[in-house]
Every structure is written in structure tokens, then in C-alpha cells.
Amino acid sequence: MAHDEHGQEADPAPAPGRAPRAGPRRPRVRAARPEVVPGGLSWTRVAGRVIPLIVTAVALYLLTPQLLTVFSAFPRLRGFRPLWYPAMVVLEVASFACVWQLQRLAFGNLSWFLSITSQLASNSISRIIPGGIAVGGAVQFRMLSRAGCDPVAAGFALTAVSMVTTGIVFGLPLLVLPWLIFGQPAPDGLTAAAILGAMAFVVLVVAGLVLARSDGTVRLVGRGLDRLLRLARRPVTPGLPDLLVVRRDEVLRSLGRRWPAAVLAAAGKWGLDYGALLAALAGAGQHPRPSLILLAYVAASVLAMIPITPGGLGFVEAGLTGTLALAGVPAAAAALSTLVYRLVSFWLPLAAGAPAWIAYRVRYR
């Protein structure tokens, strides 16, 4: 290769028939290639899908002994008193009906059909996919938006329903704390669950009051959502922070006029589900102190919210059998009651999701 007088490489001679290039020579820059896997997915996106599955698999593996203990009670179903089965089904249907009514109160003009189908479909999704609470909420949000509901109003209404129902379940231990303090004491584990539930209830109440009273906090949330949507390259509603304030006021007016009915519906959702657990214990021949069973129920309900396994699978079985044992229920009866309760409250509504989705798709093609 030719060199100039300073010992550096000289530009190559121009090819025949081609004019020499003018100006200084520019270094060639190789364009960066995004790290992708076959199919065009980025590694971060793949990791976001694979890591939750790995965490779920590890959690289920660790919880397998507790699951096997509960499922081993299947042969003992022959000894369960059959008249309690229809009672449990009726209680669970009534519990879900309270959720449907609470949604209608939050939206103001939501039809029974849309409330039932969207909630059953999202409930099934949340119990199939790891971390399914968020996914199920997104599914219901899309179903409501596609049916003609305002997206911002739907988001606020679903958030209000979630906060009311979660606040009620955390507030249930307050009903039994006086008996635990001034009456017959409870085991340490259940007392701790009651105290933690009461603390969580206070936190939720404060958070709800701040969102209900502070326009600045709502606008701050709106600006955060705006940035997240832009980062995710999603459509952004113009003036989202101010629009959130308007929609919040609409939801508060809708619930404010009917707040006794809203609180009653949220309490009915948990109270009727708790009644189904008492019916499962009665069918197994057990009649422990209802106050202790209420604490065991609250602990199991909180475990179901853990977004690691679908619907808290494994966590609820392990937690409920353990807390029922603390409440004085024999181990075999605790496993049988837990099995029957989960069959009616977890697996039966799961099967209703597909028909609800089909009915929705037929109506809103």
C-alpha cells in the first residue's frame, strides 16, 4: 500500500473512469445492531417473559409438598357432607354478584352483561398467568374500552373498585381485635395477622383519602403515566393529568351518592366468601371459633394477592391449612376443608371465564 512522506497510508488511486474524491476521507462507522433473538424479540423483552415463569416454577416447586398434602385429601371427599356443596356454590355466586354490583356502582351506567363477562374473563386470566392480577386488570380494561366505555373513566373505576375491596379485606381483622385483646386470646400467628391487616387497612385508607382530596397528587400520577406510555410507545391521551382529575371526580360522584351500597357490596364480596369457607369446615365436621377462622381467612386472602403464582396457587393452600391448624382444626380436616373451598372458590370460577369471554365476543364483534 502507498504511503505519504510522513509515513502514513495514502488514499488509494482512483479507479479508471472514476473521478477522484474531493475533501478529507471520512472514517467508516459501522451501524449498531440491536441485540435480538430469532423472531425479532429483544433480549429484555424475552427476559421479561421468561424470568416470571422461572420464579413461578421455583415457587411451585417449593410449595409442592403443601399442594400434595391438600390434593391428597381427594379420597376423603367421600366423607364430606354433600348438602354443603350447593350452599358453598350459592355463597360464591352471591360473592361474585357483589363484585359485579360494585363495578356498576363505580361506573354509574355499566350493564350487568358487561360487568359479569368482563369480570369473569379477567378473573380467569389472573388465575392462569403468573402475576395475573395486573394482566387480568388490563384484559378487563380492554374489554370495557372496546365495548364503548371511556378508557380513563374505566381505569379510575376499576382502581376504585380494587381499593374498596382490598381495604375491606384488610379491615376485617378490626372486627375481631376487641375479642382478641379483651376476650379469649388467639395464637400468636393469627394475632400478628390481625395487627398487620389493621395496619395495611390504615395505609389504604390514607392513600384513598389523598387520591380523593388532592388534585396535585392525581396530576402527578397522570404525568407519571404519560411518561410511561411515551416510553412504551403507546398512544397518549392529550391533557392526561387534567383528564384524570375530571374522571376521578365523576367516579367519586357516582360512588359518593351510593357509598353505603358500595361498602355493603364490597363487604358482601368478602363476607359471603368467608361464609363459603365456614361451610367447607362444617361439611368436614368442624365448628371452630368463627373469629379465629376469620383471621385465617384474611391471611389466605392476602396470600392470594401475591403476584408470583397464578391466583396464589400453593401460597393459599399452604397458608390456609397452616392458619386453620392454628385455629384448632385437625390437620386432616384442614386439608379437606381447604381442598373443597378452593374447588368452589378458585377452580369453579376459573372454568366460567371461557364462556364469559365467548359471550362477550359474540356481543361485541
Side-chain angles (χ1 to χ4, degrees), residues 232-271:
R233 298 181 179 179
R234 300 287 185 180
V236 179
T237 303
L240 181 60
D242 293 330
L243 187 57
L244 283 179
V245 174
V246 173
R247 295 297 183 246
R248 179 208 58 185
D249 293 340
E250 292 177 355
V251 172
L252 289 177
R253 282 195 296 270
S254 178
L255 285 176
R257 293 192 300 268
R258 311 164 189 168
W259 69 264
V263 173
L264 182 62
K269 178 253 189 297
W270 296 112

Coordinates of all heavy atoms in Angstrom, one line a residue, residues 232-271:
A232 N -43.1 3.5 26.5 CA -43.6 2.2 26.0 C -44.1 2.4 24.5 O -44.6 1.4 23.9 CB -44.7 1.6 26.8
R233 N -44.1 3.7 24.0 CA -44.6 4.0 22.7 C -46.0 3.6 22.5 O -46.4 3.0 21.5 CB -43.7 3.3 21.6 CG -42.2 3.7 21.6 CD -41.4 3.0 20.6 NE -40.0 3.5 20.6 CZ -39.1 3.1 19.8 NH1 -39.4 2.1 18.9 NH2 -37.8 3.5 19.9
R234 N -46.8 3.9 23.5 CA -48.2 3.7 23.5 C -49.0 5.0 23.2 O -48.4 6.1 23.5 CB -48.7 3.1 24.8 CG -48.1 1.8 25.2 CD -48.6 0.7 24.3 NE -48.1 -0.6 24.7 CZ -48.4 -1.7 24.1 NH1 -49.2 -1.7 23.1 NH2 -47.9 -2.9 24.5
P235 N -50.2 5.0 22.7 CA -51.0 6.2 22.5 C -51.2 7.0 23.8 O -51.5 6.3 24.8 CB -52.3 5.7 21.9 CG -52.0 4.4 21.4 CD -50.9 3.8 22.2
V236 N -51.0 8.3 23.8 CA -51.1 9.1 25.0 C -52.3 10.0 24.8 O -52.4 10.7 23.8 CB -49.8 9.9 25.2 CG1 -50.0 10.8 26.5 CG2 -48.6 9.0 25.4
T237 N -53.2 10.1 25.8 CA -54.3 11.0 25.7 C -53.9 12.4 26.0 O -53.2 12.6 27.0 CB -55.4 10.5 26.8 OG1 -55.8 9.2 26.5 CG2 -56.6 11.4 26.7
P238 N -54.2 13.3 25.1 CA -53.8 14.7 25.4 C -54.4 15.2 26.7 O -55.6 15.0 27.0 CB -54.4 15.5 24.2 CG -54.6 14.4 23.1 CD -54.9 13.2 23.9
G239 N -53.6 16.0 27.5 CA -54.0 16.5 28.7 C -54.4 15.5 29.8 O -55.4 15.6 30.5
L240 N -53.7 14.4 29.8 CA -54.0 13.2 30.7 C -54.1 13.6 32.2 O -55.0 13.2 32.8 CB -53.0 12.1 30.5 CG -53.2 10.8 31.3 CD1 -54.6 10.2 31.0 CD2 -52.1 9.8 31.1
P241 N -53.2 14.4 32.7 CA -53.3 14.7 34.2 C -54.6 15.4 34.5 O -55.3 15.1 35.5 CB -52.1 15.7 34.4 CG -51.1 15.2 33.4 CD -51.9 14.9 32.2
D242 N -55.0 16.4 33.7 CA -56.3 17.1 34.0 C -57.5 16.2 33.8 O -58.5 16.3 34.5 CB -56.4 18.4 33.1 CG -55.3 19.4 33.5 OD1 -54.9 19.5 34.6 OD2 -54.9 20.2 32.6
L243 N -57.4 15.4 32.7 CA -58.5 14.4 32.5 C -58.6 13.4 33.6 O -59.8 13.0 33.9 CB -58.2 13.7 31.1 CG -59.3 12.8 30.6 CD1 -60.6 13.6 30.4 CD2 -58.9 12.2 29.3
L244 N -57.5 13.0 34.2 CA -57.6 12.1 35.4 C -58.4 12.8 36.5 O -59.2 12.1 37.2 CB -56.2 11.7 35.8 CG -55.5 10.6 35.0 CD1 -54.1 10.4 35.6 CD2 -56.3 9.3 34.9
V245 N -58.2 14.0 36.7 CA -58.9 14.7 37.8 C -60.4 14.8 37.5 O -61.2 14.5 38.4 CB -58.3 16.2 38.0 CG1 -59.2 17.0 39.0 CG2 -56.9 16.1 38.4
V246 N -60.7 15.0 36.3 CA -62.1 15.1 35.9 C -62.8 13.7 36.1 O -63.9 13.6 36.7 CB -62.3 15.6 34.4 CG1 -63.7 15.4 34.0 CG2 -61.8 17.0 34.3
R247 N -62.1 12.7 35.6 CA -62.7 11.3 35.7 C -62.8 10.8 37.2 O -63.7 10.1 37.6 CB -61.9 10.3 34.9 CG -61.9 10.6 33.4 CD -63.3 10.5 32.8 NE -63.4 10.7 31.4 CZ -64.0 11.7 30.8 NH1 -64.7 12.6 31.6 NH2 -64.1 11.8 29.5
R248 N -61.8 11.2 38.0 CA -61.8 10.9 39.4 C -63.0 11.5 40.0 O -63.7 10.8 40.8 CB -60.5 11.4 40.1 CG -60.5 11.1 41.6 CD -59.7 12.1 42.4 NE -60.2 13.5 42.2 CZ -59.6 14.5 42.7 NH1 -58.5 14.4 43.4 NH2 -60.1 15.7 42.5
D249 N -63.3 12.8 39.7 CA -64.5 13.4 40.3 C -65.8 12.7 39.9 O -66.7 12.6 40.7 CB -64.5 14.9 39.9 CG -63.3 15.7 40.5 OD1 -62.8 15.2 41.5 OD2 -63.0 16.8 39.9
E250 N -65.8 12.3 38.6 CA -67.0 11.6 38.2 C -67.2 10.3 38.9 O -68.3 9.9 39.3 CB -66.9 11.3 36.7 CG -66.9 12.5 35.8 CD -66.8 12.2 34.3 OE1 -66.5 11.0 34.0 OE2 -66.9 13.1 33.5
V251 N -66.1 9.5 39.1 CA -66.2 8.2 39.9 C -66.6 8.5 41.3 O -67.4 7.8 41.9 CB -64.9 7.5 39.8 CG1 -64.9 6.2 40.7 CG2 -64.6 7.0 38.4
L252 N -66.0 9.5 41.9 CA -66.4 9.9 43.3 C -67.8 10.3 43.4 O -68.5 10.0 44.4 CB -65.4 11.0 43.8 CG -64.0 10.6 44.1 CD1 -63.2 11.8 44.5 CD2 -63.9 9.5 45.1
R253 N -68.3 11.1 42.5 CA -69.7 11.4 42.5 C -70.6 10.2 42.4 O -71.6 10.1 43.0 CB -70.0 12.4 41.4 CG -69.6 13.9 41.7 CD -70.2 14.8 40.7 NE -69.8 14.6 39.4 CZ -68.8 15.2 38.8 NH1 -68.0 16.0 39.5 NH2 -68.5 14.9 37.5
S254 N -70.2 9.3 41.5 CA -71.0 8.1 41.3 C -71.0 7.2 42.6 O -72.1 6.8 43.0 CB -70.5 7.2 40.1 OG -71.2 6.0 40.0
L255 N -69.8 7.0 43.2 CA -69.8 6.3 44.4 C -70.3 7.0 45.6 O -70.8 6.5 46.6 CB -68.4 5.8 44.7 CG -67.8 4.6 43.8 CD1 -66.4 4.3 44.1 CD2 -68.7 3.4 44.0
G256 N -70.1 8.4 45.6 CA -70.5 9.2 46.7 C -71.9 9.2 47.0 O -72.4 9.2 48.1
R257 N -72.7 9.2 45.9 CA -74.2 9.1 46.1 C -74.7 7.8 46.6 O -75.7 7.7 47.2 CB -74.9 9.5 44.7 CG -74.6 10.9 44.2 CD -75.6 11.2 43.1 NE -75.3 10.3 41.9 CZ -74.5 10.5 40.9 NH1 -73.8 11.6 40.9 NH2 -74.4 9.6 39.9
R258 N -73.8 6.8 46.4 CA -74.3 5.4 46.8 C -73.2 4.7 47.6 O -73.1 3.5 47.6 CB -74.5 4.6 45.5 CG -75.3 5.3 44.4 CD -75.2 4.6 43.1 NE -75.8 5.3 42.0 CZ -75.6 5.1 40.7 NH1 -74.8 4.1 40.4 NH2 -76.2 5.8 39.8
W259 N -72.5 5.5 48.5 CA -71.4 4.9 49.2 C -71.9 3.8 50.2 O -71.2 2.8 50.4 CB -70.6 6.0 50.0 CG -71.3 6.7 51.1 CD1 -72.0 7.8 51.0 CD2 -71.4 6.2 52.4 NE1 -72.6 8.1 52.3 CE2 -72.2 7.1 53.1 CE3 -70.9 5.1 53.1 CZ2 -72.5 7.0 54.5 CZ3 -71.2 5.0 54.5 CH2 -72.0 5.9 55.1
P260 N -73.1 3.9 50.8 CA -73.5 2.8 51.6 C -73.7 1.5 50.8 O -73.2 0.4 51.3 CB -74.8 3.2 52.2 CG -74.8 4.7 52.1 CD -74.1 5.0 50.9
A261 N -74.2 1.6 49.6 CA -74.4 0.4 48.8 C -73.0 -0.1 48.3 O -72.8 -1.3 48.2 CB -75.2 0.7 47.6
A262 N -72.1 0.8 48.0 CA -70.7 0.4 47.6 C -70.0 -0.4 48.7 O -69.4 -1.4 48.5 CB -69.9 1.6 47.2
V263 N -70.0 0.2 49.9 CA -69.4 -0.5 51.1 C -70.1 -1.8 51.4 O -69.4 -2.8 51.7 CB -69.4 0.4 52.3 CG1 -68.9 -0.3 53.6 CG2 -68.6 1.7 52.1
L264 N -71.4 -1.9 51.3 CA -72.1 -3.1 51.5 C -71.8 -4.2 50.5 O -71.6 -5.3 50.8 CB -73.6 -2.8 51.5 CG -74.6 -4.0 51.8 CD1 -74.3 -4.6 53.2 CD2 -76.0 -3.7 51.6
A265 N -71.6 -3.8 49.2 CA -71.3 -4.7 48.2 C -69.9 -5.2 48.4 O -69.6 -6.5 48.2 CB -71.4 -4.0 46.8
A266 N -68.9 -4.4 48.7 CA -67.5 -4.8 49.0 C -67.5 -5.7 50.2 O -66.8 -6.8 50.2 CB -66.6 -3.6 49.2
A267 N -68.2 -5.4 51.2 CA -68.2 -6.3 52.4 C -68.9 -7.6 52.1 O -68.5 -8.7 52.6 CB -69.0 -5.6 53.6
G268 N -70.0 -7.5 51.3 CA -70.6 -8.8 50.9 C -69.8 -9.7 50.1 O -69.8 -10.9 50.2
K269 N -68.9 -9.1 49.2 CA -68.0 -10.0 48.5 C -67.1 -10.8 49.4 O -66.9 -12.0 49.2 CB -67.1 -9.1 47.6 CG -66.0 -9.8 46.8 CD -64.7 -9.6 47.3 CE -63.6 -10.2 46.4 NZ -63.6 -11.6 46.2
W270 N -66.5 -10.2 50.4 CA -65.7 -11.0 51.3 C -66.5 -11.8 52.3 O -66.1 -12.9 52.7 CB -64.7 -10.0 52.1 CG -63.8 -9.3 51.1 CD1 -63.7 -8.0 50.8 CD2 -62.7 -9.9 50.4 NE1 -62.7 -7.7 50.0 CE2 -62.1 -8.9 49.7 CE3 -62.2 -11.2 50.3 CZ2 -61.0 -9.1 48.8 CZ3 -61.1 -11.5 49.4 CH2 -60.5 -10.4 48.7
G271 N -67.6 -11.2 52.8 CA -68.4 -11.9 53.8 C -69.0 -13.2 53.3 O -68.9 -14.2 54.0

